[in-house]
Amino acid sequence: MGYNSEKQFEDDLVKMLFEQKGWKDGILNYKTEKELIRNWADILYENNRSIDRLGDYPLTDGEMEQILEQIRALKTPLRLNGFINGGTVQITRDNEADEHNFGKLVSLKIFDRNEIAAGKTRYQIARQPKFSAKNDIYPDRRGDFCLLINGMPVIHVELKKSMVPISEAQYQICKYLHEGVFTGLFSLVQIFVAMNPEECVYFANPGSYESYNEKFCFHWADSYNNPINRWDKIAELLLSIPMAHELIGFYSVADQSDNVLKVMRSYQYYAASKISKRVSEMKWNDQSIYGGYVWHTTGSGKTMTSFKSAQLIANSKDVDKVVFLMDRIELGTQSL
């Protein structure tokens, strides 16, 4: 189905994500950064109501500013990935009504990579959010929509109508990066998606316009590596819950070796998830089972795939230890 209207395309995509694909906790229309920060504060309050956290006393503006200062200090998408996946943030309680915790250091739960479509995890869509440029010479902007997990904008989507190439949506994202609109709360964005009704690419937040590299923009594909581009299939397979949550929690990689945030290609995702699932299903006390192997071709991103597989297996507690065996030092350095 083609779309001659970008608005109609956005209407239908957002409706599908909200009603069918797991983003069930509300559509926030035309919100400013300040309003979205207050929305985040409300979710943090609801998710941290125990007496040793916030009790019955909501977060103050000063306490939210403490969190935002920590975000500003981290600066890069790579370090902010660690912030999100660290799962908690600490504040010093300044709400005087909270006599139990006033003046104390309090740890707040912000994200749980394992709590997918469960527990207190909240999934919202911020439609047409208002961006404020960091420099007065640039106008304020309005994005198409952000996907919010627990109030944090982690995926940003830019749309174009049929017959308009997605390169224009990519250019628009780069222009926003250059103008500095992905700062403050919006610096938490981990993944960008550029799409029209017939094509889609996704890429990790490069942090700056200068760091953008088109070769790290990927098409999603099925498990046989057939590209998937139709918008409704993208909504189902890439932007849906649990997939979007897993992309942020498990399949984005903060690569310290070059200080770049990376996101896995679809075939790497299928491989790593299938390997870890296979390990979890094996009955290792069976004496006839010796292990297994995974075959990769040169240039397929096998180091990242093996690293991510090992991480998933180690975190699953299905094994006691993961051993890397390699034939040259640089692979060990890269994996480390």
Side-chain angles (χ1 to χ4, degrees):
M1 177 181 176
Y3 284 89
N4 294 321
S5 163
E6 185 180 309
K7 181 182 182 302
Q8 187 59 54
F9 175 35
E10 183 182 318
D11 286 345
D12 288 357
L13 177 54
V14 169
K15 184 173 187 286
M16 176 179 284
L17 292 173
F18 173 61
E19 293 182 354
Q20 303 174 35
K21 303 306 174 188
W23 299 91
K24 58 184 176 48
D25 294 304
I27 299 171
L28 311 174
N29 292 303
Y30 310 110
K31 299 299 183 184
T32 63
E33 181 181 16
K34 186 175 181 180
E35 289 171 318
L36 289 174
I37 289 170
R38 180 40 51 189
N39 173 69
W40 188 21
D42 292 342
I43 291 172
L44 286 173
Y45 173 53
E46 290 302 324
N47 287 353
N48 292 274
R49 292 290 295 273
S50 61
I51 191 169
D52 59 331
R53 292 184 173 179
L54 299 177
D56 294 325
Y57 307 98
L59 284 155
T60 67
D61 290 342
E63 289 164 343
M64 286 306 298
E65 183 58 29
Q66 290 179 47
I67 298 174
L68 292 168
E69 283 177 7
Q70 293 177 55
I71 290 171
R72 286 191 283 266
L74 292 170
K75 295 181 180 178
T76 68
L78 174 135
R79 295 177 71 187
L80 286 163
N81 181 271
F83 171 84
I84 294 168
N85 280 300
T88 61
V89 64
Q90 290 189 323
I91 60 163
T92 300
R93 195 95 244 244
D94 70 11
N95 189 334
E96 295 183 7
D98 184 0
E99 296 179 3
H100 184 268
N101 292 310
F102 180 68
K104 294 180 182 176
L105 203 62
V106 174
S107 181
L108 304 178
K109 177 182 176 180
I110 59 171
F111 179 75
D112 187 336
R113 64 171 68 178
N114 294 302
E115 205 169 79
I116 303 173
K120 295 181 178 179
T121 304
R122 300 276 294 279
Y123 300 106
Q124 298 169 303
I125 303 172
R127 190 172 178 186
Q128 296 286 312
K130 297 178 182 178
F131 300 134
S132 296
K134 66 178 179 182
N135 192 313
D136 290 341
I137 66 171
Y138 299 119
D140 290 347
R141 300 289 187 184
R142 184 172 286 169
D144 286 335
F145 65 88
C146 287
L147 300 175
L148 280 58
I149 299 180
N150 287 346
M152 297 182 291
V154 290
I155 298 174
H156 179 77
V157 182
E158 282 296 325
L159 305 173
K160 294 298 173 187
K161 64 183 180 180
S162 294
M163 308 306 291
V164 177
I166 56 169
S167 58
E168 291 201 16
Q170 292 167 273
Y171 169 75
Q172 198 163 345
I173 292 168
C174 288
K175 183 169 69 172
Y176 291 168
L177 284 166
H178 179 66
E179 294 175 358
V181 300
F182 291 108
T183 54
L185 179 68
F186 296 110
S187 64
L188 292 171
V189 170
Q190 298 287 289
I191 294 170
F192 289 112
V193 177
M195 63 187 294
N196 64 24
E198 296 82 28
E199 188 177 5
C200 171
V201 295
Y202 67 102
F203 54 98
N205 186 345
S208 67
Y209 166 74
E210 293 76 17
S211 300
Y212 171 76
N213 189 333
E214 195 169 354
K215 77 176 185 178
F216 295 120
C217 297
F218 308 131
H219 290 84
W220 195 251
D222 64 18
S223 57
Y224 295 98
N225 213 29
N226 298 309
I228 293 169
N229 281 303
R230 260 184 46 179
W231 72 271
D232 53 342
K233 284 294 183 183
I234 290 295
E236 177 184 344
L237 299 173
L238 178 63
L239 299 180
S240 64
I241 300 301
M243 186 65 234
H245 188 126
E246 291 178 347
L247 270 181
I248 302 303
F250 293 106
Y251 299 106
S252 54
V253 178
D255 190 341
Q256 303 288 344
S257 65
D258 55 10
N259 289 314
V260 172
L261 178 66
K262 295 173 179 173
V263 62
M264 298 181 81
R265 296 171 173 88
S266 51
Y267 65 80
Q268 292 175 306
Y269 157 74
Y270 291 121
S273 58
K274 199 165 186 178
I275 291 164
S276 60
K277 184 173 184 289
R278 180 69 169 158
V279 170
S280 71
E281 291 172 345
M282 295 302 290
K283 294 179 173 57
W284 293 104
N285 56 354
D286 185 338
Q287 295 301 306
S288 66
I289 294 174
Y290 296 102
Y293 65 89
V294 181
W295 180 88
H296 286 275
T297 191
T298 302
S300 63
K302 54 187 175 294
T303 305
M304 186 190 288
T305 306
S306 60
F307 155 72
K308 184 53 69 171
S309 301
Q311 187 184 50
L312 291 170
I313 293 164
N315 290 344
S316 72
K317 302 193 171 48
D318 291 314
V319 299
D320 298 313
K321 185 175 290 186
V322 177
V323 178
F324 267 67
L325 180 66
M326 55 202 68
D327 63 352
R328 53 195 184 277
I329 291 171
E330 56 265 32
L331 283 180
T333 305
Q334 189 178 353
S335 299
L336 184 63

